Amino acid sequence: MESLSDEILVEKSRAGNQQAFAVLLERHTDYCYSIVYRMINVKAEAEDIVQDAFVTVWQKIRSFDSQKAKFTTWLYSIATRMAIDALRKRKNQVDVHSVAIISEDHNGFTQLCNNELEESVRQATSSLTELQKAVFVLREIEEMEVVEVSYITGLSAKQIKDNLYVARKQVRERLKKTLSL
Amino acid sequence: MEADNYKKIIEQLRQQKPQLENGQKLKHEVMNRIRTQKSVSNIAYLIRVAASILILLSLGAYAWMEIYTWENRLAIEQRVSPNELQNNVDWQCRQTVNEIVASLFETNALVRQNDGVLINKSNMKLLEVENAELFARVSDMLERIKLISPNDFQTYQSGEDIHLNAWQLRREYGFCEWITK
């Protein structure tokens, strides 16, 4: 089963084959987590989102159209949208709560990466809007194609370009301040 | 210079992929949730099937009750009006045959026996004299008997009696068909 392609595994999953889906899960969890974590910056929350994203994928796999996008693109679009929703919810929370999240952030991030540089980048991206952050992570860090980012975020090529421009500018300025570039 | 530093930072970020601390646990949880959902959806499916069967049975019972009531009502109405109870053609035939047999009983030319009359060649000669119209009708009947039951007709031809009653005319010699034609 492990040697089968994503397309075949998706077809088998469509037919209700849980083993096939487990292989897809095994294959794509890490990268999916990477994207979500870079956006969310909270370990536990990112794990929950990845978990929910895979459950949603299983529920909706019959409606997946392989003509429109690759399975991975579809998976990342679900996970990214969930991450964007989580960021929006977080924004609406009370300040005290946000402080708690940030402090947890810091600990989780430090434990995970143990890297001052990444912490600086995390702080630099914290002022970005949800979509700017998504575009920055997908296009700038993960180096995805514009078409793929467009499918995942639902933005047009021009919107992606504009959001990326603003995100880059802000991140660069923030980094300049914190790291005295 | 500044741009180069930014590029270096981003490049460094690309190299450092966030790693799941307990990936296996996450995958197990996803698979558990999928399995639980599947059993719940199976139960829901069974409930839906059971409900559909129940609705169909209820509809069937309702339809059957309606038809049963309608048949009962029709039967009661038929009892009130016996003419409605019988098949119309059959009832007309019965009436016509009874009328013929009654007219055969009335004539003195034929000898009555039980529920019918005896017919032979000499009786027919007397009938021809007494009631020409009835003679013509009985002659037609003999033609029919010749076709349907040649043995009986031979008995008649040989000068012996043949017995005719209403039941024989209707059932044995098929007079209903003849009358309808």
Side-chain angles (χ1 to χ4, degrees):
Chain A
M1 196 71 92
E2 278 76 14
S3 58
L4 294 174
S5 68
D6 276 5
E7 287 76 19
I8 294 168
L9 290 169
V10 167
E11 281 310 310
K12 285 181 181 287
S13 302
R14 264 184 217 268
N17 189 330
Q18 289 184 5
Q19 277 186 319
F21 189 75
V23 177
L24 285 172
L25 178 68
E26 185 71 39
R27 207 174 274 180
H28 302 295
T29 306
D30 289 343
Y31 191 63
C32 188
Y33 174 77
S34 166
I35 293 170
V36 174
Y37 179 78
R38 284 194 204 276
M39 286 177 69
I40 295 286
N41 288 318
V42 181
K43 198 182 90 179
E45 202 176 347
E47 283 180 4
D48 286 347
I49 289 169
V50 172
Q51 209 181 99
D52 290 345
F54 272 102
V55 172
T56 307
V57 164
W58 170 257
Q59 287 169 341
K60 294 186 175 176
I61 200 150
R62 284 193 181 86
S63 65
F64 165 63
D65 185 359
S66 57
Q67 305 290 316
K68 285 184 183 170
K70 286 191 294 184
F71 170 74
T72 46
T73 311
W74 183 61
L75 164 68
Y76 303 149
S77 75
I78 289 171
T80 305
R81 281 169 201 186
M82 282 181 167
I84 289 171
D85 286 346
L87 287 173
R88 281 179 184 152
K89 275 180 198 163
R90 190 190 287 178
K91 205 187 240 180
N92 296 331
Q93 284 170 340
V94 194
D95 283 351
V96 178
H97 204 165
S98 311
V99 171
I101 287 170
I102 287 165
S103 71
E104 189 200 334
D105 266 356
H106 187 272
N107 293 336
F109 194 85
T110 314
Q111 278 172 9
L112 191 75
C113 306
N114 198 18
N115 190 316
E116 198 183 322
L117 181 72
E118 278 208 29
E119 169 62 9
S120 304
V121 174
R122 189 196 67 77
Q123 280 180 359
T125 55
S126 63
S127 62
L128 300 177
T129 65
E130 299 82 25
L131 281 171
Q132 282 168 352
K133 199 179 265 187
V135 170
F136 183 77
V137 168
L138 297 170
R139 186 84 181 108
E140 188 77 341
I141 302 176
E142 302 297 343
E143 296 180 289
M144 284 186 183
E145 294 292 323
V146 176
V147 183
E148 206 171 359
V149 178
S150 173
Y151 182 89
I152 292 170
T153 57
L155 297 173
S156 66
K158 191 184 180 308
Q159 285 171 320
I160 290 167
K161 196 179 165 189
D162 293 346
N163 275 297
L164 187 61
Y165 174 79
V166 174
R168 268 180 189 156
K169 197 179 170 190
Q170 281 191 27
V171 171
R172 193 174 282 148
E173 279 170 9
R174 285 261 189 154
L175 284 173
K176 189 181 170 186
K177 280 180 196 168
T178 52
L179 301 173
S180 309
L181 288 172
Chain B
M1 185 66 185
E2 193 182 298
D4 285 347
N5 281 331
Y6 172 79
K7 277 181 185 171
K8 276 179 191 169
I9 291 166
I10 295 297
E11 193 53 47
Q12 233 173 313
L13 271 177
R14 285 173 191 158
Q15 304 299 324
Q16 292 175 327
K17 294 275 180 200
Q19 293 296 316
L20 260 169
E21 272 184 6
N22 199 345
Q24 285 309 313
K25 191 186 162 201
L26 186 143
K27 287 160 199 168
H28 277 298
E29 278 176 20
V30 170
M31 291 315 290
N32 279 342
R33 279 176 66 181
I34 286 170
R35 282 186 199 109
T36 315
Q37 275 190 344
K38 199 175 182 187
S39 60
V40 169
S41 68
N42 279 348
I43 292 166
Y45 176 74
L46 281 176
I47 291 169
R48 276 207 301 274
V49 169
S52 306
I53 291 169
L54 201 69
I55 289 167
L56 281 174
L57 284 175
S58 305
L59 280 173
Y62 174 75
W64 182 81
M65 282 298 290
E66 281 291 301
I67 292 165
Y68 179 76
T69 314
W70 174 74
E71 277 182 344
N72 263 353
R73 199 166 55 234
L74 197 71
I76 291 162
E77 281 169 6
Q78 280 176 340
R79 256 180 253 144
V80 172
S81 170
N83 286 339
E84 293 294 318
L85 190 69
Q86 301 293 333
N87 179 304
N88 219 18
V89 176
D90 190 40
W91 182 251
Q92 279 178 356
C93 169
R94 191 186 286 258
Q95 272 187 319
T96 311
V97 169
N98 285 348
E99 278 170 20
I100 293 169
V101 173
S103 57
L104 291 178
F105 285 161
E106 279 172 12
T107 177
N108 294 321
L110 303 175
V111 179
R112 184 171 173 172
Q113 193 184 60
N114 299 328
D115 58 343
V117 288
L118 293 173
I119 292 177
N120 56 35
K121 278 188 175 175
S122 56
N123 285 347
M124 284 298 281
K125 278 177 188 168
L126 288 172
L127 183 65
E128 190 178 5
V129 176
E130 192 184 310
N131 189 340
E133 195 187 339
L134 188 61
F135 171 77
R137 206 162 193 182
V138 175
S139 299
D140 286 345
M141 282 159 62
L142 285 168
E143 284 299 312
R144 176 79 185 167
I145 291 166
K146 188 181 172 182
L147 283 173
I148 301 294
S149 182
N151 289 340
D152 287 353
F153 187 73
Q154 272 181 2
T155 308
Y156 169 76
Q157 283 289 70
S158 65
E160 288 181 39
D161 294 334
I162 56 166
H163 183 255
L164 283 182
N165 62 20
W167 186 88
Q168 276 178 310
L169 289 173
R170 281 192 292 114
R171 299 291 170 197
E172 208 173 321
Y173 302 130
F175 268 64
C176 289
E177 277 178 46
W178 179 55
I179 289 163
T180 314
K181 283 175 187 172

